[in-house]
Amino acid sequence: MNSAASAPGTVRRFVLLLRPSGWLSGAKLWALMPYLYGVVLAAAIIAFNPDLILGPRALDVRATALLPLALVAFGQTLVVFTRGFDLSIGGIISTTSALLASQLTGTGLELAVQLLSLLAFGALAGGLNGLIIARTSLQPFIVTLATWSIWGGVAILFLPQEGGQTSPELTDLVVGNVFGVPVSLIAVAVLFGAWVWLRWSRLVLDFKAIGSDERSAELAGVPVARRKVQVYAISGVFAVLAGIWLAGQFGGGSPTIGNEYILPSVAAVVVGGTSIFGGSGSVAASIAGALALQMIPDLIFVLEISTFWTGFLRGALLLIAVTISSVFLQAARSRL
Amino acid sequence: MRSVALPDLLRSNRGIVAAYGIALALFVVGVLHSPGYASDTNVRTLLLYAAAIGIAAFGQTLCILTGGIDLSLPWTMTGAAVLTAVLAQGDPGRLPWIFALLIVLAVLVGLLNGAGVAYAGVPPILMTLGSHGVLASLVLVYTRGGMSARPPEIMHEWVTSTLLGIPAPVIVWVLIIVLATVMLSRGTIGRRLYAIGTNRSAALLAGVNIRRTLLVPYIVSALSGGLAGLLLMAINKQAFLSLGQPYLFATAAAVAVGGASILGGSGHYLGTVAGALILTLMASLLTLFSLGHAWLNIGYGLILLLALLIATPQSKRV
């Protein structure tokens, strides 16, 4: 940014001290931070109540709490790579939830077709964001703010208030087991696997190229407009997946449930160390960030304080993470 | 540094002109649909609700002008309302002390946001996202998660009183409009805010104290948000936890519909005023056509996109 926003000198000196120490160089340490937050939180919880982390069903419960945010954060991270934001996920999740609890309650093959058409809806709704952003060059933040409002309204049209009834088969699908392993756990593993498979792909590299310098990316032959449509379409599909999972888990829908995921998805990306100025970052780190955010309620539980402190601690974690990355970033820049 | 005299502003910023055009068109639609729409009572009600959005969006406009945003606004609004209702316990004699306390707290919240942005270099969207969570949590802890306390009766009398037929809150709003216009079109602070939003490095080289200047929008936002929170509480005769919730979208949309660029450097509070009028008119028209909450959300989204497309000439969309 500029010299007006520089870190306090002492902190910068501390960060510089880390530099020559081999594998623990500043940049690498920075990339490890989101995992460190998770480990610190886990250690704190274990100190009070080991069962919450090490107990027999702990992993299952944790994956269940993590999955919807991890899904949304996956798409959001890719969008942030391109220096964008996707607030419309709130509306897309809500619409998915509302439809599944009111209209799309089939069974068997019918349900499969309905779920597939929902995924297509996510791709179209997201792609529409991308199209508007690529064609008009309006700011992603404000465009997706508008489409969030639109899809949020559509959700209320289908399901005026919380309730409804989803197909029982959907619930069996998302809370079931495959060979004794819970579906949510498998899904989280698949998300990690997908990132490992995708991280050096042309698609992801193009997203990062657009985020770090759109004009250069264009000159280097990146199909910028097409990639923007793709990245928002992917984010829309992930939002639908989160909506499907939430509807199945609760057996009903809510026309505003998606709103609870907008700000946390951005928080997960940022706690994961991805810069909101685009161009760099990791989806796996975002999922770790989401995990850290989802461990805060457990911490509050073991500390036996009011659950109303959740927002406070999540906000504090976000601010700590952001300040640390901003200090590392400035230290890295001052070395150049 | 560029100056933004009013006539130049209107000539160069077609977003603001377009916004007033849309507002007028919406009003005409209302009048055509039912002649009573132009009645004194209805216009007064419309202006009262527009004033709530407009006052809340004062600080937001300044934040967005510098390329920032204040996401914590809903909870400054709710916080001010909740504190007043709980601390006053119906006794109007306590209000002066409470207002003094609120001003101190608002300045502290603004300083926290502003210091994070200006001194720690945290991007505004993240800084205020963090304080959004922190403030929401503090309000919930303070109220134990559920309340609808009533403010002193006298506050409701204040906001429903009129001077020469104009509701008192609208007069306050007009004063804020004058203040903002002088600030942005005549004052040094306005020029500095535009300079920071346009090009930070250039502003620094031109001798703007960026850090100190950047504190201003966030402090103003907490103060104007608190004032809007009190206004809404007095209109509704109660303070409730979801009071500020619609106003994050409403203020950002009012600023954007009013022709400001979310990237900073362009726009004016006069545009936000038109934005506040448009949002209020739409809500009232949809009620008139007996369309519910769902269509209001859809309508807000569409008008926001439409206004953005009209306001931003192809060449200026960066």
Side-chain angles (χ1 to χ4, degrees):
Chain A
M1 281 178 290
N2 61 74
S3 59
S6 70
T10 42
V11 183
R12 186 189 299 157
R13 271 196 293 280
F14 168 74
V15 174
L16 281 173
L17 271 181
L18 293 171
R19 188 197 169 203
S21 56
W23 66 275
L24 207 63
S25 67
K28 278 180 187 157
L29 190 69
W30 178 22
L32 287 176
M33 285 310 288
Y35 303 98
L36 189 64
Y37 302 135
V39 170
V40 169
L41 281 168
I45 295 168
I46 288 173
F48 289 96
N49 185 348
D51 275 0
L52 278 181
I53 302 286
L54 309 169
R57 292 200 6 104
L59 207 57
D60 179 8
V61 173
R62 197 140 318 276
T64 305
L66 171 66
L67 185 57
L69 186 56
L71 284 166
V72 185
F74 200 120
Q76 189 74 270
T77 311
L78 299 181
V79 172
V80 172
F81 283 168
T82 68
R83 204 175 180 149
F85 272 111
D86 190 356
L87 307 183
S88 73
I89 52 159
I92 296 176
I93 294 175
S94 298
T95 302
T96 307
S97 165
L99 280 171
L100 281 170
S102 60
Q103 315 285 322
L104 309 179
T105 54
T107 50
L109 190 64
E110 198 188 350
L111 181 65
V113 172
Q114 287 170 345
L115 292 182
L116 281 177
S117 41
L118 271 176
L119 291 175
F121 153 71
L124 280 175
L128 187 67
N129 286 331
L131 201 64
I132 298 174
I133 290 163
R135 276 296 161 84
T136 65
S137 306
L138 290 170
Q139 276 307 300
F141 182 87
I142 207 81
V143 169
T144 57
L145 186 73
T147 50
W148 162 41
S149 186
I150 293 173
W151 294 120
V154 170
I156 300 173
L157 277 186
F158 286 113
L159 189 74
Q161 54 216 336
E162 207 172 311
Q165 176 79 50
T166 58
S167 165
E169 283 185 17
L170 184 65
T171 308
D172 295 342
L173 189 72
V174 301
V175 299
N177 294 299
V178 178
F179 301 118
V181 186
V183 170
S184 53
L185 200 57
I186 297 174
V188 171
V190 168
L191 287 182
F192 269 107
W195 170 245
V196 171
W197 176 53
L198 275 175
R199 60 187 167 160
W200 301 120
S201 66
R202 164 94 354 237
L203 200 64
V204 167
L205 292 179
D206 280 359
F207 293 157
K208 289 188 174 180
I210 292 171
S212 70
D213 188 340
E214 192 169 326
R215 200 155 295 175
S216 308
E218 182 121 50
L219 289 174
V222 174
V224 173
R226 198 197 318 157
R227 290 289 183 251
K228 283 189 177 173
V229 173
Q230 284 166 338
V231 81
Y232 287 92
I234 293 172
S235 179
V237 169
F238 274 111
V240 165
L241 284 171
I244 291 176
W245 201 84
L246 286 168
Q249 195 197 1
F250 297 127
S254 156
T256 53
I257 193 166
N259 299 353
E260 292 158 32
Y261 286 88
I262 303 174
L263 298 182
S265 73
V266 175
V269 172
V270 172
V271 172
T274 295
S275 161
I276 63 158
F277 299 109
S280 68
S282 146
V283 167
S286 298
I287 299 177
L291 180 67
L293 289 168
Q294 295 297 50
M295 268 154 72
I296 299 241
D298 293 298
L299 183 68
I300 280 170
F301 176 72
V302 297
L303 290 177
E304 291 175 6
I305 56 176
S306 155
T307 52
F308 300 130
W309 288 102
T310 313
F312 187 91
L313 292 182
R314 282 188 177 160
L317 176 61
L318 172 73
L319 291 180
I320 291 170
V322 136
T323 312
I324 290 178
S325 351
S326 133
V327 168
F328 270 122
L329 207 66
Q330 279 159 14
R333 202 172 287 131
S334 69
R335 286 200 295 267
L336 293 178
Chain B
M1 267 183 263
R2 68 183 225 213
S3 87
V4 266
L6 264 187
D8 292 345
L9 175 81
L10 294 181
R11 221 173 295 130
S12 65
N13 196 328
R14 52 185 199 151
I16 297 180
V17 180
Y20 280 100
I22 295 178
L24 189 65
L26 288 172
F27 188 71
V28 169
V29 170
V31 174
L32 289 178
H33 183 267
S34 67
Y37 203 75
S39 73
D40 283 2
T41 339
N42 190 50
V43 170
R44 236 177 266 148
T45 316
L46 285 176
L47 284 176
L48 192 60
Y49 281 97
I53 299 181
I55 293 173
F58 176 33
Q60 193 72 282
T61 307
L62 301 187
C63 292
I64 290 178
L65 277 185
T66 63
I69 193 160
D70 183 2
L71 299 181
S72 66
L73 184 67
W75 290 101
T76 354
M77 295 175 68
T78 309
V82 162
L83 267 181
T84 308
V86 172
L87 292 178
Q89 293 188 323
D91 176 10
R94 297 185 183 175
L95 286 178
W97 292 107
I98 295 173
F99 291 159
L101 175 72
L102 286 183
I103 291 174
V104 173
L105 288 177
V107 170
L108 280 178
V109 168
L111 273 177
L112 173 80
N113 282 332
V117 170
Y119 290 86
V122 178
I125 192 168
L126 301 180
M127 185 63 216
T128 57
L129 176 60
S131 56
H132 168 102
V134 168
L135 288 177
S137 189
L138 288 177
V139 172
L140 287 173
V141 169
Y142 183 69
T143 59
R144 290 165 210 274
M147 74 158 305
S148 55
R150 296 187 174 284
E153 271 301 315
I154 193 169
M155 292 188 72
H156 185 69
E157 287 164 27
W158 286 344
V159 297
T160 46
S161 65
T162 56
L163 184 73
L164 305 172
I166 307 166
V170 176
I171 295 176
V172 174
W173 189 26
V174 170
L175 291 177
I176 288 181
I177 296 173
V178 172
L179 172 75
T181 309
V182 171
M183 222 174 125
L184 292 176
S185 296
R186 293 255 174 270
T188 325
I189 180 73
R191 246 173 295 161
R192 288 187 180 146
L193 292 174
Y194 280 110
I196 291 178
T198 311
N199 186 333
R200 221 181 244 227
S201 320
L204 187 71
L205 291 175
V208 176
N209 185 332
I210 291 189
R211 288 177 172 175
R212 218 185 309 152
T213 312
L214 267 181
L215 293 176
V216 175
Y218 295 93
I219 294 174
V220 172
S221 182
L223 286 169
S224 62
L227 184 62
L230 293 183
L231 171 60
L232 284 165
M233 171 182 70
I235 294 176
N236 293 304
K237 290 192 191 173
Q238 61 173 348
F240 46 98
L241 290 176
S242 59
L243 180 133
Q245 214 181 2
Y247 286 85
L248 176 54
F249 178 84
T251 55
V255 177
V257 167
S261 157
I262 202 87
L263 288 178
S266 82
H268 198 282
Y269 185 64
L270 291 175
T272 307
V273 171
L277 289 172
I278 291 175
L279 295 183
T280 314
L281 282 163
M282 282 196 60
S284 114
L285 282 181
L286 290 171
T287 320
L288 204 63
F289 295 129
S290 25
L291 292 170
H293 193 48
W295 287 103
L296 185 62
N297 281 334
I298 297 173
Y300 274 0
L302 290 176
I303 200 86
L304 181 53
L305 281 181
L306 181 71
L308 287 170
L309 291 174
I310 296 177
T312 327
Q314 197 71 43
S315 59
K316 283 197 182 162
R317 287 174 194 157
V318 179

